[in-house]
Amino acid sequence: MSTFAYTRFELRRTFRNRRFLIFALGFPLVLYFITAGPNRDEANLNGSGISAPVYFMVGMAAWGTMMSMLSTGARISGERAVGWNRQLRITPLSSRSYLATKIATAYATALLALVTMYVAGAILGVRLDAGRWIEMSVLILIGLIPFAALGILIGHLLSTDSIGPAMGGGVGLLGIVSGIWFPLDKGSFLHDIGEQLPSYWLVQAGHVGIGGDGWPAHGWIVLGVWTVVLGSLAARAYRRDTGRQ
Amino acid sequence: MSSTTTPDRRPGRTGAAPPPGSPAPGIVLAGLAKAFRTPQGPVHAVRGVEIAIEPGETVALLGPNGAGKSTTIEMLLGLTVPDSGTASVFGRTPNAAVDAGLIGAMLQTGALIREVKVRELVAMMAALYPAPLDVDEVLELTGLAEIAGHWTHKLSGGQTQRVRFAIALVSNPDLLILDEPTVAMDVEGRHAFWTTMRAFAARGKTIVFATHYLEEADEFADRVVLMAKGRVVADGPTTEIKAIVGLRTIKATLPGADLAALGRLPGVTGSDRRGDAVVLSCGDSDVAIRALLAAYPDARDIEISGAGLEQAFLQLTGDHHDDQTTTEVAR
């Protein structure tokens, strides 16, 4: 009951936030039409074997969903700045409900970002089988798990002043080594780094939709390790920040 | 800290667990201490606070800034873990009492979150508690009904404070804790606030509030706990605190009198001049008035008055050395 009320409250609040809507939904959308629009007939982007509208749809979806998940951190940080976490801390709302709500809200925003990019892709002529859309979406949602933890971690670690630049810069860098903005040559240094990061596999999840296979064992391991590491760091940051056991 | 520095050890107020069959235990703070590390070295915010509060009491924590009121309240709420000592609320730990929805609180600092309207915020907080008050009733009581549809980030300071009060009140707690609740309120808001508080207290609720407004403590609390430098320096009904100090002043018109000589009169602790009049602070005004009239038979327009809480407060918390604490206050 209380978790439901709190989640509904958080969702309503989140979708009212114009800055969030602009950064997590608007930016990827605009960038997509700028990058993919002029090359919509390019069937083999930089020799990747993938058409430009599909390549950038997948990339922008990864970017938008990542930003959505990390926006949780911006919201938590803002709440801490005004002492709202302390106010919640002296209500019967449990840590479990609090964190569940934060994660559910993050996923709701990520889902919206994802659907937005799918629609944009469809507008630029992307056509896939229903099965492919679903498989791709499921893998992306799984690939976002480490980012749910990362959002909570930075929210309890960073101040409102630093979290914006940290998110923007961090996701920008992740984007480069993960092949969000442009394809990386297999075997290149950046590609090797990328393969060890969850964001790389998020982009790869998108490529499944275009005829690739699911994640290899390496991808699952990378995601699993990052989930465990970021999850325990997030739990620690949350406990230290709130004094909860 | 030694027991001489802990005033008001009345039977039944403090001590061990209540005997079987006695009413539910209230709030017990036992030997609470908390220090904070700072670059200038540790700051001992609270140094061994002992307070026991019966259910249904309205208690004011009175003291200047830095007295340790807020830190004491944070330990009572479970927001701060004490270095030593324990806090218990209705027989539970503070965290357990919070989880059970027994405590509602208005913290000293804190703004409201954005992107939400007043009523939505109050309603969401109500939904977190097992037996909340009716949201519209609370909005009415706290004078928020007319701005229920306003955004929280467009409120004035006084309105924000009222919303924070509404949040504490809507939880319908058995223990309501307010840390300097009226600081940002205007006179009218303050009046409305205390009217609401009286009504809430009349339901048998326990209320603990911190304030540095002497009038508020005097007027609204059954009992005043006076704090200074992390310690309780006096604890009792407001009238009792005044009696403990026993401060009276004698004012008399006495042109040209020697202040130093007046100050040496028996029973007099201090002397001051206001125009033609002199004002004598007295430890024992009966002795002092006899001595005054004997020495200065021409003294006229004599007034003897009891000191307000203000003066009691100054006397108790004025120059308060660490070891010479409250023996003169404790009985």
Side-chain angles (χ1 to χ4, degrees):
Chain A
M1 167 60 195
S2 64
T3 311
F4 175 72
Y6 181 51
T7 305
R8 201 181 53 172
F9 175 85
E10 281 288 287
L11 282 173
R12 188 190 274 180
R13 214 159 70 76
T14 300
F15 286 114
R16 276 176 183 161
N17 185 332
R18 284 199 205 96
R19 265 172 306 169
F20 160 74
L21 293 176
I22 290 167
F23 283 107
L25 299 180
F27 269 31
L29 198 60
V30 170
L31 212 59
Y32 179 63
F33 285 114
I34 290 174
T35 51
N39 330 301
R40 58 182 302 177
D41 300 323
E42 173 67 59
N44 185 1
L45 186 73
N46 291 3
S48 62
I50 302 168
S51 78
V54 172
Y55 189 90
F56 287 117
M57 179 185 81
V58 165
M60 295 306 143
W63 185 37
T65 53
M66 261 198 282
M67 285 301 265
S68 297
M69 298 306 279
L70 298 183
S71 296
T72 306
R75 284 190 294 277
I76 292 175
S77 181
E79 290 167 24
R80 285 169 57 227
V82 299
W84 183 247
N85 60 325
R86 281 159 56 85
Q87 188 71 48
L88 281 182
R89 175 77 177 65
I90 50 174
T91 70
L93 185 74
S94 66
S95 303
R96 186 181 294 257
S97 294
Y98 169 85
L99 293 171
T101 291
K102 290 297 178 197
I103 293 169
T105 308
Y107 264 106
T109 58
L111 211 54
L112 183 66
L114 193 60
V115 170
T116 303
M117 287 319 302
Y118 285 174
V119 171
I123 290 170
L124 290 192
V126 176
R127 296 288 178 272
L128 301 174
D129 294 344
R132 288 293 192 182
W133 283 117
I134 292 169
E135 192 184 353
M136 172 163 83
S137 305
V138 168
L139 285 179
I140 287 175
L141 294 181
I142 294 172
L144 287 172
I145 293 173
F147 293 97
L150 184 59
I152 290 166
L153 173 64
I154 60 176
H156 284 282
L157 217 56
L158 302 178
S159 71
T160 37
D161 289 338
S162 57
I163 200 161
M167 272 172 60
V171 173
L173 285 176
L174 284 179
I176 293 172
V177 293
S178 308
I180 285 183
W181 320 114
F182 48 85
L184 296 168
D185 293 332
K186 282 216 161 122
S188 70
F189 177 61
L190 288 182
H191 186 265
D192 288 349
I193 296 177
E195 277 191 323
Q196 316 310 322
L197 297 171
S199 46
Y200 175 88
W201 297 102
L202 197 60
V203 177
Q204 291 305 305
H207 290 164
V208 167
I210 327 140
D213 295 323
W215 291 319
H218 181 74
W220 286 102
I221 290 168
V222 167
L223 283 170
V225 168
W226 278 104
T227 298
V228 170
V229 169
L230 292 173
S232 44
L233 286 176
R236 238 178 79 174
Y238 171 76
R239 276 197 216 106
R240 204 189 56 171
D241 199 36
T242 60
R244 280 266 189 198
Q245 290 313 306
Chain B
M1 113 187 220
S2 70
S3 61
T4 54
T5 56
T6 307
D8 198 44
R9 276 197 173 271
R10 274 173 282 180
R13 270 266 156 101
T14 55
S22 68
I27 291 109
V28 181
L29 306 181
L32 277 190
K34 181 74 187 177
F36 295 103
R37 265 172 298 174
T38 70
Q40 287 79 39
V43 170
H44 297 275
V46 173
R47 329 171 172 222
V49 160
E50 303 270 344
I51 305 171
I53 297 168
E54 300 290 331
E57 274 192 298
T58 298
V59 176
L61 288 183
L62 181 62
N65 288 331
K69 305 188 297 290
S70 289
T71 307
T72 301
I73 280 178
E74 287 186 357
M75 290 190 280
L76 179 54
L77 288 168
L79 283 172
T80 297
V81 179
D83 295 337
S84 61
T86 56
S88 85
V89 177
F90 304 126
R92 306 172 196 233
T93 64
N95 283 338
V98 163
D99 290 344
L102 300 177
I103 305 182
M106 183 172 167
L107 300 170
Q108 185 179 9
T109 54
L112 300 171
I113 44 172
R114 300 167 61 91
E115 273 96 29
V116 60
K117 291 174 181 170
V118 170
R119 192 183 189 287
E120 292 168 356
L121 185 61
V122 176
M124 190 281 285
M125 293 302 273
L128 301 181
Y129 287 85
L133 296 176
D134 180 69
V135 172
D136 291 310
E137 187 193 335
V138 168
L139 293 174
E140 195 66 49
L141 275 174
T142 51
L144 292 170
E146 280 168 27
I147 56 164
H150 289 207
W151 296 107
T152 52
H153 53 269
K154 294 196 172 154
L155 303 179
S156 71
Q159 289 170 331
T160 299
Q161 204 69 346
R162 274 188 274 158
V163 173
R164 298 180 64 230
F165 176 48
I167 285 171
L169 194 63
V170 80
S171 62
N172 192 19
D174 290 337
L175 168 63
L176 183 59
I177 298 176
L178 309 145
D179 194 354
E180 308 212 354
T182 59
V183 162
M185 292 183 190
D186 54 24
V187 177
E188 201 181 323
R190 245 173 234 187
H191 183 76
F193 172 83
W194 287 112
T195 306
T196 310
M197 289 295 304
R198 278 216 177 93
F200 192 69
R203 302 183 188 191
K205 306 291 191 174
T206 311
I207 299 172
V208 175
F209 68 97
T211 183
H212 54 235
Y213 294 117
L214 306 173
E215 316 77 50
E216 285 188 347
D218 199 0
E219 202 169 336
F220 300 100
D222 303 330
R223 176 177 158 205
V224 177
V225 174
L226 203 59
M227 289 188 71
K229 297 184 180 172
R231 291 197 173 107
V232 174
V233 292
D235 181 350
T238 310
T239 48
E240 197 173 297
I241 287 184
K242 289 191 217 167
I244 291 168
V245 183
L247 249 187
R248 286 201 166 82
T249 57
I250 297 175
K251 190 177 171 195
T253 303
L254 198 57
D258 176 7
L259 276 185
L262 283 170
R264 285 193 295 272
L265 288 173
V268 175
T269 56
S271 55
D272 200 3
R273 189 191 304 280
R274 290 189 197 149
D276 278 345
V278 292
V279 179
L280 308 177
S281 309
C282 306
D284 186 336
S285 58
D286 295 342
V287 171
I289 188 69
R290 289 190 188 102
L292 177 71
L293 288 172
Y296 302 90
D298 54 339
R300 55 197 165 81
D301 302 333
I302 296 170
E303 288 172 28
I304 301 179
S305 49
L309 188 52
E310 180 89 43
Q311 247 163 320
F313 185 73
L314 285 176
Q315 167 91 359
L316 283 164
T317 64
D319 45 1
H320 200 275
H321 303 296
D322 274 357
D323 295 315
Q324 170 247 314
T325 46
T326 57
T327 32
E328 76 272 27
V329 180
R331 293 153 305 154

